[in-house]
Amino acid sequence: MMASDSVRLAAYIDGELDLAGELEIEQRLAADPGLRAQAQALRELRSVLREDADYHAVPAALGPRVAALTAALTGALTGALTAASAAPSPATPPRRVRWSWQPLWTAPSALAALAVVVLAVTLVGPRLAAQDRLVEYVVASHVRSTLGEHLVDVVSSDRHTVKPWLAAKLDFSPPVHALPLPGSVLLGARVDYLDGRPVAALVYRQGAHVVNSFVWPGPAADRSPSFATQRGFQLAHWTQGGMTHWVISDLNREEFAALVQAQVVADSAP
């Protein structure tokens, strides 16, 4: 693999490629066992860094200090910009202006506030962008599956057929259940790619609507479902039993919420 390919693979694992780049890498992963092995090694490294890194609680007094430092930086920058924008009057002959940034950059409060702002953008911005990209990929995968001929790889409404099939194709065994909801039918499953790794895609039909339920290993702590709407689709995501769940369909909001609740209940059953 060339150096540029290694960079693109790392960007794919971190969710930093656009949709076209993501699909290109997924096609190469499907055809190249060596590339899949490299991708898995990168995922394991990322997992170790996420799970084993030290985390420290933010001191309660930090919030007011950050606000005060940010205000100081804002005032310093405003003063500098005001001075820079002051132009000589047309009747005044041009004169040389000597610039000095020393008062701004030698102020410890301004430097500290700038560091806080940069740190916040560096740490929080990529996480929000990665979440937005994941939403786009979930929607794109759902649309591709419903418009094409690749809705399921294994056709069965029997969880005892679907679950072993997925376990043999993936490096984890996802929960598979028929949903305790009138009109819901398990159509089967397929292997898909999301969040830089292969995932299980359970496919249901709820009345006349197709439902894609994506599952892959996630944080150990459970988190209740969060709901969103994107491009006319209802989405929900949560963590449960060490698994990340993303569900998408074009059901209306009430029916979709009932379906998500049914899945949470089914996955809680022994």
Side-chain angles (χ1 to χ4, degrees):
M1 174 183 283
M2 298 177 61
S4 60
D5 291 336
S6 299
V7 172
R8 284 179 59 77
L9 181 61
Y12 168 78
I13 296 300
D14 290 336
E16 296 176 352
L17 295 180
D18 58 17
L19 184 55
E22 179 98 0
L23 295 177
E24 175 195 346
I25 296 295
E26 289 178 0
Q27 292 174 352
R28 295 179 59 185
L29 286 171
D32 188 341
L35 189 63
R36 289 200 298 273
Q38 293 184 47
Q40 183 60 28
L42 287 174
R43 293 188 194 101
E44 291 173 357
L45 175 61
R46 184 178 68 168
S47 177
V48 168
L49 292 176
R50 283 181 173 178
E51 295 175 4
D52 296 340
D54 292 332
Y55 292 88
H56 303 277
V58 177
L62 182 59
R65 291 179 61 189
V66 169
L69 293 175
T70 303
L73 176 62
T74 302
L77 289 177
T78 300
L81 291 174
T82 301
S85 62
S89 127
T92 304
R95 61 187 178 89
R96 229 174 134 183
V97 178
R98 299 183 61 185
W99 295 94
S100 175
W101 296 97
Q102 185 176 0
L104 172 63
W105 298 114
T106 56
S109 61
L111 282 174
L114 179 61
V116 169
V117 173
V118 171
L119 183 62
V121 172
T122 302
L123 296 181
V124 178
R127 294 182 185 179
L128 296 177
Q131 183 82 344
D132 291 341
R133 281 194 297 270
L134 183 54
V135 169
E136 291 292 334
Y137 296 150
V138 168
V139 172
S141 182
H142 177 73
V143 172
R144 284 198 308 270
S145 70
T146 55
L147 293 181
E149 298 179 356
H150 189 203
L151 185 60
V152 293
D153 290 325
V154 56
V155 182
S156 177
S157 60
D158 183 1
R159 63 183 295 268
H160 299 292
T161 298
V162 175
K163 185 177 177 69
W165 185 91
L166 286 170
K169 302 291 183 181
L170 299 165
D171 58 356
F172 65 95
S173 181
V176 179
H177 300 283
L179 300 183
L181 194 67
S184 178
V185 178
L186 175 63
L187 300 180
R190 70 180 185 277
V191 173
D192 214 315
Y193 285 87
L194 288 174
D195 197 32
R197 62 158 299 140
V199 304
L202 306 175
V203 184
Y204 298 88
R205 187 175 297 280
Q206 182 66 37
H209 305 270
V210 172
V211 180
N212 270 291
S213 177
F214 301 100
V215 186
W216 66 93
D222 289 355
R223 189 172 67 177
S224 300
S226 297
F227 295 85
T229 302
Q230 181 79 358
R231 299 186 184 179
F233 296 103
Q234 302 293 333
L235 296 98
H237 71 97
W238 69 97
T239 56
Q240 182 177 359
M243 293 287 170
T244 293
H245 296 260
W246 278 81
V247 179
I248 179 171
S249 181
D250 60 352
L251 288 161
N252 65 46
R253 184 174 302 178
E254 290 74 17
E255 292 174 328
F256 184 74
L259 181 139
V260 168
Q261 181 60 30
Q263 183 164 342
V264 170
V265 171
D267 288 348
S268 301

